[in-house]
Amino acid sequence: MGKVLTIGREYGSDGRAIAREAAQALGVAFYDKERIRQITKMAKLPEMVRQYGADHLEYEVDDYHIGRGYFTVETDDAFTYHLESAVMAQVAAAEDAVIVGRCGDYVLRDKADSRHIFIYAPFDYRVKLVSRRDAVSPEDAARVVKQMDLRRSQYYTYYTDRSWNDLRHYHLSFDAAAFSRDNSIRILIQAFAAI
């Protein structure tokens, strides 16, 4: 069985980049939303339908999810969530890895050889980072940070029935603004080594 770090993070905390660099330094696999989605697209859908049931299949019309009966800003559906969860479980069983987002801490909550980390930072720090990184005005960056945090919180709560930023669900949390990037990476490396 693989040792796994899952990383939850506030938007603009630089958590994804810190996690990716930690995975590179550790020499382990790195999985984020894009990589997990690529794998799920290659999944054999008939097998997944048999495993999770056809009732998980839904379709979207302008962000309205037929089959759920309510409007949401989140465009992911339950079937995709189950596919992504299955991918994470397979990864966690097969190899050492760092997994970012996708409710990884919840999906792998019963895995003994995993540690769940949450990376946050003050709002002003995140706005500055996003403004600089994405070459947008501070006002636009502030709006994006708020929107992305809301989307992540809604996604997490919908699929887990837990609060995304309730730090009791994580083994470790830290403020990325309080450490240099190198030290933040070292924190993740040490957390992995302690598994």
Side-chain angles (χ1 to χ4, degrees):
M1 289 180 63
K3 298 192 308 184
V4 176
L5 284 183
T6 67
I7 310 296
R9 75 275 180 236
E10 289 182 324
Y11 189 77
S13 66
D14 216 19
R16 181 180 174 278
I18 291 166
R20 184 181 58 245
E21 290 184 37
Q24 288 172 346
L26 288 163
V28 303
F30 175 75
Y31 292 87
D32 61 0
K33 178 179 179 177
E34 289 76 26
R35 186 157 183 212
I36 291 170
R37 287 262 166 99
Q38 287 173 348
I39 295 168
T40 60
K41 286 178 182 175
M42 294 183 296
K44 296 178 180 173
L45 289 179
E47 288 180 20
M48 299 307 289
V49 169
R50 277 195 300 277
Q51 184 176 355
Y52 294 108
D55 60 324
H56 289 292
L57 291 171
E58 300 172 357
Y59 59 94
E60 301 167 24
V61 179
D62 297 329
D63 287 340
Y64 184 84
H65 289 262
I66 307 302
R68 284 192 193 160
Y70 73 97
F71 176 83
T72 177
V73 297
E74 185 55 58
T75 59
D76 290 7
D77 59 59
F79 189 67
T80 300
Y81 172 78
H82 287 293
L83 284 171
E84 292 175 351
S85 297
V87 167
M88 285 188 278
Q90 289 172 353
V91 164
E95 63 183 320
D96 293 347
V98 174
I99 300 173
V100 175
R102 315 320 295 157
C103 304
D105 65 290
Y106 180 79
V107 172
L108 301 175
R109 66 192 178 280
D110 296 327
K111 183 173 173 50
D113 50 354
S114 66
R115 295 297 177 267
H116 311 298
I117 317 294
F118 190 81
I119 301 174
Y120 60 92
F123 183 74
D124 290 345
Y125 172 91
R126 296 186 293 135
V127 167
K128 287 178 187 172
L129 189 145
V130 170
S131 179
R132 185 177 60 248
R133 181 189 70 199
D134 299 345
V136 296
S137 71
E139 295 77 20
D140 286 343
R143 183 179 45 77
V144 170
V145 167
K146 287 178 185 176
Q147 287 176 345
M148 290 302 294
D149 279 351
L150 178 61
R151 288 179 63 114
R152 287 179 180 175
S153 178
Q154 289 174 335
Y155 178 89
Y156 187 90
T157 300
Y158 179 78
Y159 288 111
T160 69
D161 286 328
R162 302 192 319 189
S163 178
W164 171 61
N165 58 359
D166 182 345
L167 302 182
R168 293 173 294 179
H169 300 301
Y170 304 93
H171 296 110
L172 172 70
S173 62
F174 66 92
D175 179 351
F179 302 97
S180 70
R181 188 179 187 128
D182 286 344
N183 283 334
S184 294
I185 293 165
R186 284 189 195 100
I187 290 169
L188 296 186
I189 290 169
Q190 289 175 345
F192 188 85
I195 298 174

